[in-house]
Amino acid sequence: MGTEIRSINRQLPEQAPAPLVQPKYVPAPAKSPTDERGTEEAVEDKELDRLGEELYSVIMAEEPKNAGKITGMLLELGVEKVKAMIASPEELKSWVSKASDLLNTVQILPPN
């Protein structure tokens, strides 16, 4: 059986490997934030980014281990709620405590 394969391979004409053609880089057309979403949503996203940076620096002092997760959780509440938290250190501390407790509860639950 091994000789049959060799003889078949010998009968095939030798072909030079095809040259590799590198695709040209074509950048995607620039999209403005209003292409897929409204202007208000784009503005809100930028505002959330700015608020997130501010929140993170405050939360990092209180909960360095979970600062990123807690910041993300609080940002889900929306721009107005986050602004209220930043304006009131007591309210922010309360929300950080709630988010931290929730994370600790989730982390100690046994896997399903």
Side-chain angles (χ1 to χ4, degrees):
M1 187 172 213
T3 56
E4 292 174 19
I5 293 175
R6 285 188 197 138
S7 62
I8 292 173
N9 286 339
R10 287 185 192 161
Q11 293 173 358
L12 296 175
E14 300 247 349
Q15 295 179 353
L20 293 177
V21 178
Q22 294 293 328
K24 292 182 181 179
Y25 172 72
V26 179
K31 292 183 178 180
S32 70
T34 59
D35 285 348
E36 295 177 19
R37 300 182 300 158
T39 304
E40 291 177 17
E41 290 179 4
V43 169
E44 186 173 321
D45 286 349
K46 285 184 180 182
E47 183 73 3
L48 276 174
D49 288 345
R50 185 188 67 73
L51 292 171
E53 291 173 10
E54 191 172 344
L55 263 181
Y56 181 81
S57 64
V58 174
I59 294 170
M60 187 67 174
E62 296 290 323
E63 292 284 338
K65 181 181 172 189
N66 292 316
K69 290 178 183 178
I70 293 171
T71 300
M73 291 168 72
L74 297 182
L75 288 173
E76 290 292 321
L77 298 172
V79 171
E80 295 307 316
K81 189 66 179 173
V82 172
K83 283 181 179 180
M85 283 184 227
I86 291 173
S88 170
E90 297 82 24
E91 184 176 355
L92 177 57
K93 189 171 185 171
S94 172
W95 278 99
V96 169
S97 177
K98 290 174 189 177
S100 180
D101 290 346
L102 180 62
L103 283 173
N104 290 331
T105 300
V106 170
Q107 290 173 358
I108 61 172
L109 290 176
N112 290 334

